[in-house]
Amino acid sequence: MTSARGTSASARLARVGFSEPGRAAAALESPTLAPVLADEEVLSALAVVADPDAALGALGGLLEATGDATALLEALHTDESLRRGLLGVLGASDALAGHLVRHPEHWRLLAGDTSVRPTWNGLRSWLLDAVGADPGSESPVASAYGAVALDALRVAYRGALTGLAARDIGAGADVGDVA
């Protein structure tokens, strides 16, 4: 039997664009996602992503995976750029949503002004740091090797790709900026 709260939540979610409002309302009653239902900014941002249902599910996974769900919820409430970018990515790409759940610290890469494109040198430094190489060296040499280096490079690359997707989806970057 659906509670009065569940029914009104389902109707509200249907009005804002969820395709499975009953399922979303049930998810939002979980302790992890309950704060989202009370946060109009976050709920409104979820409603306009490509797949609000997928974004909500991925957000639940991210909140459970992160060591500090309160910090993430607060940041989503206060940082419009993070809200648009993170929720946009969670609702558009299962692969990047999965990356964020596996590496929940990467949500912080999307905080602040994501409309600013990183420089080539900044991306190079990010990837070299990931494998333990000194980006300031004339001939950087990785301190990580084999599978460890490949995994570190893959995680760093996907973190950078997540930032690119957030700029593309959340900040409305133009084709030239994204390319």
Side-chain angles (χ1 to χ4, degrees):
M1 185 161 139
T2 305
S3 68
R5 180 175 178 225
T7 301
S8 64
S10 292
R12 180 176 172 208
L13 294 169
R15 281 192 301 275
V16 297
F18 283 81
S19 60
E20 297 184 43
R23 188 172 177 196
L28 286 165
E29 288 181 2
S30 74
T32 304
L33 286 171
V36 173
L37 187 59
D39 191 324
E40 195 59 44
E41 286 86 5
V42 175
L43 193 60
S44 294
L46 271 169
V48 298
V49 301
D51 186 344
D53 299 286
L56 181 62
L59 179 59
L62 178 57
L63 287 167
E64 289 174 1
T66 188
D68 191 359
T70 304
L72 175 52
L73 287 167
E74 177 64 26
L76 281 171
H77 177 73
T78 59
D79 185 342
E80 183 180 356
S81 180
L82 172 68
R83 194 168 48 242
R84 282 191 325 261
L86 177 61
L87 297 178
V89 167
L90 294 177
S93 172
D94 289 340
L96 291 177
H99 168 78
L100 285 165
V101 170
R102 285 186 306 279
H103 302 281
E105 69 281 3
H106 279 189
W107 73 262
R108 294 182 185 278
L109 298 174
L110 309 180
D113 185 7
T114 58
S115 67
V116 178
R117 172 178 51 164
T119 64
W120 177 89
N121 204 28
L123 289 172
R124 177 182 177 274
S125 293
W126 170 261
L127 296 174
L128 286 171
D129 280 338
V131 294
D134 177 9
S137 172
E138 190 172 308
S139 298
V141 176
S143 62
Y145 296 97
V148 172
L150 290 174
D151 286 344
L153 192 57
R154 185 178 6 250
V155 168
Y157 173 77
R158 288 187 181 147
L161 187 60
T162 302
L164 172 65
R167 274 195 321 284
D168 183 25
I169 296 165
D174 64 28
V175 172
D177 184 46
V178 173

